[in-house]
Amino acid sequence: MTLDPYGDEELVELYDVDNPAGADHDYFRRVADAIGATKVVDLGCGTGLLTRALVAPGRVVIGIDPSPTMLNFARRQPGAEAVTWIDGDASVIASTGDVDLVVSSGNTMMHVSDDDLPSALKSCADALRTGGVITFESRNPVMRAWESWTREATYGERDTSAGHLREWVEVTEVDGGRVVFDAHNVFDDGRDAVYTTTLYFRTVEEITAALEDAGFGAITIQGGWHDEPATTDSRLLIFHATKH
């Protein structure tokens, strides 16, 4: 993952505005409740909007993220005291073997490089109890979403708590399933806060193989947050797997 992809204190509070709670959060809460999870790890928790929503009586919730800026924001939010917040990536997950559920939302797994994915999934497996669950989403590479990430297609202006912003996204590199893009945030004074992100678009077969190699089975893939079947036209691929 990028060291601190949301390192601007002025912009971090816009993250929840741009990524509000929705069907994805409902899905992750349903999974937690369905398996009776008493210990949950939210990997790539960001500002903690979902993390705090996972809190329930008798449930331990741990939020992990590599962005100190986002975690500092998360710690200031209502209900944050009910969560244990940890700065880092998957490597900091304790290998306790007693976690019931690992969730990873907001395409977090797409930020993990091909080299790091095996160890990241292994860290998740080592934290989970036998029969524990991991679930996350990834964009379907068949849909080639990055082709619409151009300045012309994404340009917009708005008034925000950080002032008036001009914003757009622009892809700078495509190498197989590896896509690099810049998110531009131009302030009134002309300052352009540019955040470079690398995403890894992986096929069902690639992700399934990686999960199996990490010790997961009973792998199911859905094409939406409401149990839609996964098809070649599915925008998202939602994975649900159980530790052997």
Side-chain angles (χ1 to χ4, degrees), residues 97 124-134 214-217 241-244:
C124 293
D126 289 345
L128 286 163
R129 61 171 173 80
T130 299
V133 169
I134 184 172
F216 291 98
T242 304
K243 179 184 175 180
H244 288 310

Side-chain angles (χ1 to χ4, degrees), residues 24-86:
D24 53 343
H25 289 201
D26 293 340
Y27 164 81
F28 290 115
R29 286 195 299 268
R30 283 199 308 273
V31 173
D33 292 341
I35 67 173
T38 60
K39 189 172 185 180
V40 178
V41 170
D42 183 1
L43 177 61
C45 65
T47 57
L49 189 62
L50 168 62
T51 326
R52 288 179 284 116
L54 288 166
V55 172
R59 178 184 292 166
V60 173
V61 179
I62 300 167
I64 298 174
D65 199 272
S67 168
T69 307
M70 296 189 89
L71 277 186
N72 287 339
F73 180 86
R75 290 186 178 105
R76 297 196 299 268
Q77 304 314 301
E81 67 281 354
V83 176
T84 298
W85 306 98
I86 300 176

